[in-house]
């Protein structure tokens, strides 16, 4: 008993010592998940950072019947799966990883989700390295990486009000009908700055009624005028394209798409036509959204607003904090200028950025080193009860 106090202080001193030798603490860290194999600094000194392996998400009992039919190999053509398409690039990688993680965590049958990931041919990290990183972060994920050739779209892109909107990969959604395997006849397209906090199967189960090609939450009270320039509205012919439909705003970051109808109707070409018009006469200021509004607004299957609580990135120019729209939440979307991982790293997060944080798998070297010492301390305290340690 007399030894207790001095021993505690010895342990404390040792723990403090540990804080300053992070290399040693790595050996005894006990946080769940391990460092992934890929944490490469790739060409041009581009550092992707490293990610911890996600926990294993398994199907519940109610899913068994479906997975019993399958061999170990899961096909990208399997129509019994939920198909999700997202882009994968070095800039938004942390967002894409968090988005995938959130879907797995909340899906009732996570093994029944298939991810179609689209990487740009000339990404500084290369599609192959990005693909390896996804594999090591999610060892049993069903996914396939497709390569997007930027030159398909680069000559069609006009400058927009925000640099990020000009990234060619931002236009990959226009080409899903061509990029994805022809056997994929329906897909949910999602931006990389989202998290899903509900079962993605519910969104997948949305039916597209009539001859509708896409579904998305739509906003009929938004002032539609501001998405196009006065040059558009004063043109003798262009506004006529909206006649006969009630155009409502919708965000293209969350869409359920019927790829069969999409391909049959050549919707990629319809979008490209508007991009060509934009090159000749500036008819809008935003990036990939306005062509979608021109082609689809008014003919969109309205999905519950809970599936796109958008705008959380804040204003397109100033990036101020936003709050949630009224009503329930199934998907949070940081569209706009600010991204939660950037604001969290800069220690000036918006209140809702903390909802994104639990899905982040990025390995913070300095902060984790501190956690590890704390773990070191607690395990050492236990050891003091067994005096053999000293
Ligand atoms: C989705 O639809 C399938 C087939 O109709 C049904 O079995 C399943 O329960 C639905 N899932 C959800 C989460 O609504
Ligand atoms: C919509 O915006 C335009 C221009 O920004 C403005 O002239 C018009 O009055 C607005 N309409 C409504 C209904 O607020």
């Amino acid at each position: 008993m007399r030894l207790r106090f001095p021993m505690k202080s010895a342990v404390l001193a040792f723990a403090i010592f540990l804080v300053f030798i992070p290399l040693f603490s790595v050996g005894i860290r006990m946080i769940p998940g391990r460092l992934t194999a890929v944490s490469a600094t790739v060409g041009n000194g581009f550092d992707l950072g490293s990610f911890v392996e996600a926990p294993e998400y398994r199907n519940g009992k109610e899913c068994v019947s479906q997975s019993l039919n399958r061999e170990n190999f899961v096909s990208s053509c399997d129509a019994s799966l939920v198909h999700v398409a997202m882009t994968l690039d070095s800039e938004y990688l942390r967002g894409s990883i968090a988005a995938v993680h959130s879907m797995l965590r909340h899906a009732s049958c996570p093994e029944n989700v298939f991810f179609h990931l689209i990487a740009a041919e000339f990404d500084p990290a290369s599609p192959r390295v990005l693909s390896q990183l996804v594999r090591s972060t999610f060892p049993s994920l069903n996914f396939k990486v497709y390569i997007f050739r930027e030159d398909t779209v680069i000559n069609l892109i006009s400058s927009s009000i925000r640099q990020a909107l000009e990234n060619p990969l931002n236009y990959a959604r226009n080409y899903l009908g061509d990029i994805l395997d022809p056997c994929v006849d329906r897909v949910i397209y999602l931006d990389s700055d989202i998290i899903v906090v509900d079962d993605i199967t519910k969104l997948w189960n949305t039916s597209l009624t009539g001859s509708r090609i896409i579904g998305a939450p739509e906003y009929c009270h938004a002032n539609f005028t501001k998405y196009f320039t006065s040059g558009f509205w004063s043109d003798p012919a262009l506004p006529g394209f909206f006649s006969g439909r009630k155009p409502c705003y919708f965000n293209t970051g969350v869409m359920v798409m019927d790829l069969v109808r999409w391909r049959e109707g050549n919707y990629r070409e319809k979008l490209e036509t508007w991009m060509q018009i934009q090159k000749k006469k500036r008819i809008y200021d935003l990036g990939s959204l306005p062509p979608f509004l021109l082609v689809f607004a008014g003919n969109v299957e309205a999905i519950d607003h809970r599936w796109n609580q958008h705008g959380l990135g804040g204003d397109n120019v100033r990036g101020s904090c936003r709050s949630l729209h009224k009503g329930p939440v199934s998907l949070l979307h940081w569209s706009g200028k600010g991204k939660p991982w950037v604001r969290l790293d800069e220690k000036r997060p918006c209140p809702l950025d903390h909802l994104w944080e639990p899905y982040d798998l990025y390995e913070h070297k300095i902060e984790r080193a501190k956690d590890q010492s704390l773990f070191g301390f607690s395990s050492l305290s236990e050891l003091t009860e067994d005096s053999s340690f000293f």
Side-chain angles (χ1 to χ4, degrees), residues 108 199-205:
S108 53
D199 187 353
I200 191 74
T201 314
K202 292 183 193 161
L203 180 59
W204 178 252
N205 277 2

Side-chain angles (χ1 to χ4, degrees), residues 20-22 32 36 82 115 126 130 133 168 170 233 246 287 297 312 325 328:
F20 298 102
I21 46 163
T36 59
V82 173
F115 291 90
S126 93
L130 291 169
L133 196 137
N170 203 32
W233 293 113
K246 179 178 175 357
L312 305 183
H325 307 259

Side-chain angles (χ1 to χ4, degrees), residues 82-157:
V82 173
H83 293 267
V84 175
M86 296 178 74
T87 59
L88 180 67
D89 71 322
S90 37
E91 197 187 338
Y92 279 17
L93 179 62
R94 205 166 148 192
S96 304
I97 297 268
V100 170
H101 186 202
S102 70
M103 276 177 261
L104 297 176
R105 186 186 284 190
H106 294 279
S108 53
C109 304
E111 293 172 68
N112 295 0
V113 186
F114 194 100
F115 291 90
H116 301 265
L117 304 174
I118 297 146
E121 185 178 15
F122 296 116
D123 190 286
S126 93
R128 188 182 49 85
V129 169
L130 291 169
S131 174
Q132 285 167 350
L133 196 137
V134 172
R135 174 53 72 219
S136 54
T137 307
F138 304 102
S140 49
L141 191 73
N142 303 320
F143 76 100
K144 174 169 180 174
V145 173
Y146 301 78
I147 295 176
F148 180 59
R149 297 189 47 200
E150 285 116 316
D151 57 10
T152 46
V153 72
I154 206 110
N155 294 322
L156 286 170
I157 301 179

Side-chain angles (χ1 to χ4, degrees), residues 42-61:
V42 288
N44 324 328
F46 195 93
D47 188 4
L48 286 177
S50 48
F51 290 82
V52 289
E53 190 180 311
E56 183 96 26
Y57 293 101
R58 287 285 176 202
N59 276 357
K61 271 198 224 94

Side-chain angles (χ1 to χ4, degrees), residues 41-42 57 66 70 153-155 183 195 255 288 326 345:
T41 301
V42 288
Y57 293 101
Q66 253 171 313
R70 283 193 261 127
V153 72
I154 206 110
N155 294 322
C183 59
I195 54 167
M255 294 186 282
S288 62
K326 265 202 322 235
D345 280 2

Side-chain angles (χ1 to χ4, degrees), residues 57-278:
Y57 293 101
R58 287 285 176 202
N59 276 357
K61 271 198 224 94
E62 67 282 8
C63 315
V64 165
S65 61
Q66 253 171 313
S67 47
L68 266 186
N69 302 337
R70 283 193 261 127
E71 311 284 312
N72 278 337
F73 176 73
V74 175
S75 161
S76 60
C77 293
D78 190 334
S80 72
L81 302 177
V82 173
H83 293 267
V84 175
M86 296 178 74
T87 59
L88 180 67
D89 71 322
S90 37
E91 197 187 338
Y92 279 17
L93 179 62
R94 205 166 148 192
S96 304
I97 297 268
V100 170
H101 186 202
S102 70
M103 276 177 261
L104 297 176
R105 186 186 284 190
H106 294 279
S108 53
C109 304
E111 293 172 68
N112 295 0
V113 186
F114 194 100
F115 291 90
H116 301 265
L117 304 174
I118 297 146
E121 185 178 15
F122 296 116
D123 190 286
S126 93
R128 188 182 49 85
V129 169
L130 291 169
S131 174
Q132 285 167 350
L133 196 137
V134 172
R135 174 53 72 219
S136 54
T137 307
F138 304 102
S140 49
L141 191 73
N142 303 320
F143 76 100
K144 174 169 180 174
V145 173
Y146 301 78
I147 295 176
F148 180 59
R149 297 189 47 200
E150 285 116 316
D151 57 10
T152 46
V153 72
I154 206 110
N155 294 322
L156 286 170
I157 301 179
S158 311
S159 62
S160 69
I161 55 166
R162 190 153 60 82
Q163 196 72 38
L165 298 177
E166 291 161 40
N167 180 350
L169 210 49
N170 203 32
Y171 295 82
R173 71 195 88 192
N174 302 24
Y175 296 90
L176 291 176
D178 308 271
I179 300 172
L180 302 194
D181 293 328
C183 59
V184 182
D185 52 19
R186 171 187 262 247
V187 76
I188 298 174
Y189 172 79
L190 297 174
D191 273 349
S192 298
D193 48 0
I194 59 110
I195 54 167
V196 175
V197 293
D198 197 351
D199 187 353
I200 191 74
T201 314
K202 292 183 193 161
L203 180 59
W204 178 252
N205 277 2
T206 305
S207 44
L208 300 177
T209 57
S211 57
R212 293 203 169 106
I213 296 113
I214 63 171
E218 55 174 10
Y219 303 85
C220 295
H221 297 298
N223 186 344
F224 205 75
T225 319
K226 64 178 183 179
Y227 295 103
F228 301 93
T229 61
S230 52
F232 173 85
W233 293 113
S234 61
D235 188 278
L238 297 179
F241 282 91
F242 287 122
S243 65
R245 46 182 167 141
K246 179 178 175 357
C248 296
Y249 167 83
F250 66 96
N251 178 288
T252 54
V254 177
M255 294 186 282
V256 176
M257 309 167 82
D258 181 325
L259 290 181
V260 174
R261 288 178 193 160
W262 179 283
R263 292 179 186 114
E264 279 170 6
N266 281 326
Y267 282 91
R268 187 247 300 157
E269 276 172 42
K270 290 188 167 72
L271 295 167
E272 282 181 342
T273 302
W274 285 108
M275 291 171 79
Q276 276 151 2
I277 293 171
Q278 164 79 348

